[in-house]
Amino acid sequence: MSMPSFAQKKEVALRDNYTLKADGYVFAYFKGNGEDGLHLAYSEDGYKWNTLKNDTSFLTPEVGKDKLMRDPCVIKGGDGLYHMVWTVSWTDKGIGYASSKDLIHWSKQEFIPVMKHEEKARNTWAPEITFDEKNKTYMIYWASTIDGKFPETKSEDEKGYNHRIYYTTTKNFKKFRKAKLLYEPGFNVIDASVVKQDQGFVMYFKDETRNPVQKNLKTAFSKKLTGPYSKASAPITGNYWAEGPTAIQIDNQWIVYFDKYTLKKYGAVKETVTGWQDISDQVSFPLGARHGTVIKVSAEEIMNLKKE
């Protein structure tokens, strides 16, 4: 017996007058250096991913020093809109922001100068957003190197970058609080991604230490979105370099997808009762996909995206 199509599911939903549940997933990502902008793919099961719009861009970057759109993070906000932030440049003091009702038509792009007040800030990389339903507040957070800070972990490797995670909060994406330090694990850290799990929040992030080499993903926990977060866990990824984690719960199990950037492919690990299991051989992502975000969407939204 064949599975009902999206159209059939929608028909049943409309007939029975109930809200469409999240019937699928969308992956927002970039390719190359992020010059052409936002790419989207969809999946019905979270394992096999198919490109949308023939893997061409849904949104061309227009803001920031280099006008790039790397590391796109998309979330569904408390207002029903999709909110997106991204890396605009390797060396800028702010991030890109836009919103959308349908992932197709986007608001005017804005540049948010989150690190403008830090004279010695070298960069703002891989911004993400997490919505705190309890406080109706959005936390935007990213990795920055501020020259002169944390000298105990400064290295001459990789241009001397020595990142920590910083954050700001907003209720409306118009007014933002002054940025503060969010996470200082005692090492060079980038690519934080925070999700609500059970009674608290879990931060997935990359240990960027080059010597002795780490380049793996770890976790930390907090009762509050804005911290404080616990010490870093043991690595949850294997003997390869990983970055750009994005986590989602599928069939009551947490899956973390990530960019195996030196191997030029995507990977995934799944949380089990005995620990994290590598399921990279079970997932297939679009060729050339880089650091992105996975979100749940309705069948109707996927149908509309497939028409583009």
Side-chain angles (χ1 to χ4, degrees):
M1 190 172 122
S2 63
M3 293 288 286
S5 69
F6 281 149
Q8 288 168 323
K9 283 182 185 175
K10 184 184 177 188
E11 199 177 296
V12 169
L14 293 173
R15 188 184 65 220
D16 293 351
N17 196 26
Y18 68 82
T19 309
L20 277 168
K21 69 174 179 29
D23 282 314
Y25 308 90
V26 162
F27 174 51
Y29 61 100
F30 79 97
K31 298 184 78 169
N33 193 30
E35 313 92 329
D36 71 337
L38 175 67
H39 289 254
L40 299 176
Y42 75 95
S43 174
E44 292 178 45
D45 60 6
Y47 285 78
K48 179 172 169 40
W49 295 87
N50 307 283
T51 60
L52 287 159
K53 207 177 175 181
N54 293 319
D55 207 13
T56 60
S57 171
F58 277 79
L59 185 64
T60 304
E62 295 174 350
V63 297
K65 193 189 283 188
D66 297 329
K67 294 183 172 55
L68 300 177
M69 194 172 278
R70 297 173 60 87
D71 323 316
C73 171
V74 181
I75 69 154
K76 186 84 168 270
D79 53 6
L81 290 176
Y82 289 102
H83 297 276
M84 177 169 70
V85 289
W86 65 89
T87 306
V88 296
S89 165
W90 291 91
T91 57
D92 218 330
K93 292 190 178 188
I95 59 175
Y97 167 74
S99 63
S100 173
K101 286 181 181 175
D102 56 11
L103 300 172
I104 299 165
H105 307 96
W106 291 86
S107 65
K108 187 175 186 295
Q109 295 172 41
E110 295 172 47
F111 177 78
I112 308 173
V114 290
M115 292 301 269
K116 188 181 178 183
H117 62 287
E118 289 285 357
E119 192 187 330
K120 294 186 175 179
R122 292 178 60 183
N123 61 331
T124 46
W125 286 359
E128 297 233 353
I129 314 172
T130 302
F131 180 59
D132 190 342
E133 289 178 19
K134 191 176 167 189
N135 303 319
K136 305 291 183 232
T137 299
Y138 299 89
M139 180 174 81
I140 305 173
Y141 47 101
W142 60 90
S144 285
T145 290
I146 301 175
D147 281 338
K149 290 219 171 199
F150 312 107
E152 67 282 2
T153 58
K154 181 159 170 51
S155 155
E156 294 313 309
D157 292 324
E158 299 181 323
K159 299 181 182 173
Y161 279 115
N162 187 24
H163 307 86
R164 296 302 187 270
I165 306 299
Y166 295 85
Y167 79 100
T168 181
T169 55
T170 182
K171 287 192 180 284
N172 54 17
F173 293 93
K174 290 180 177 64
K175 289 184 177 175
F176 303 88
R177 288 188 172 272
K178 187 177 175 182
K180 291 186 195 168
L181 182 68
L182 178 65
Y183 193 46
E184 201 299 84
F187 52 77
N188 187 0
V189 56
I190 64 171
D191 294 358
S193 184
V194 179
V195 292
K196 190 170 191 316
Q197 282 183 223
D198 304 322
Q199 301 307 306
F201 295 89
V202 182
M203 179 190 289
Y204 298 93
F205 57 87
K206 180 190 181 186
D207 183 339
E208 182 70 326
T209 306
R210 179 69 180 88
N211 192 14
V213 69
Q214 290 290 323
K215 303 288 188 179
N216 49 38
L217 302 183
K218 293 179 168 138
T219 59
F221 304 86
S222 175
K223 289 249 184 337
K224 278 177 60 189
L225 178 58
T226 53
Y229 282 83
S230 66
K231 283 186 175 179
S233 71
I236 66 169
T237 50
N239 192 22
Y240 42 77
W241 291 17
E243 66 183 19
T246 179
I248 199 161
Q249 195 173 27
I250 297 177
D251 297 332
N252 292 320
Q253 285 188 304
W254 282 93
I255 294 179
V256 181
Y257 307 95
F258 51 87
D259 190 347
K260 288 187 176 183
Y261 62 109
T262 57
L263 300 175
K264 293 187 165 46
K265 61 182 181 182
Y266 243 73
V269 290
K270 180 169 72 175
E271 193 171 26
T272 70
V273 286
T274 55
W276 289 91
Q277 175 192 350
D278 198 310
I279 57 166
S280 299
D281 58 346
Q282 297 173 41
V283 298
S284 65
F285 278 82
L287 201 63
R290 300 289 317 278
H291 187 153
T293 319
V294 170
I295 53 172
K296 291 183 179 179
V297 296
S298 70
E300 188 172 24
E301 287 170 305
I302 289 180
M303 280 195 300
N304 291 331
L305 285 165
K306 285 167 88 168
K307 290 173 190 169
E308 290 298 303

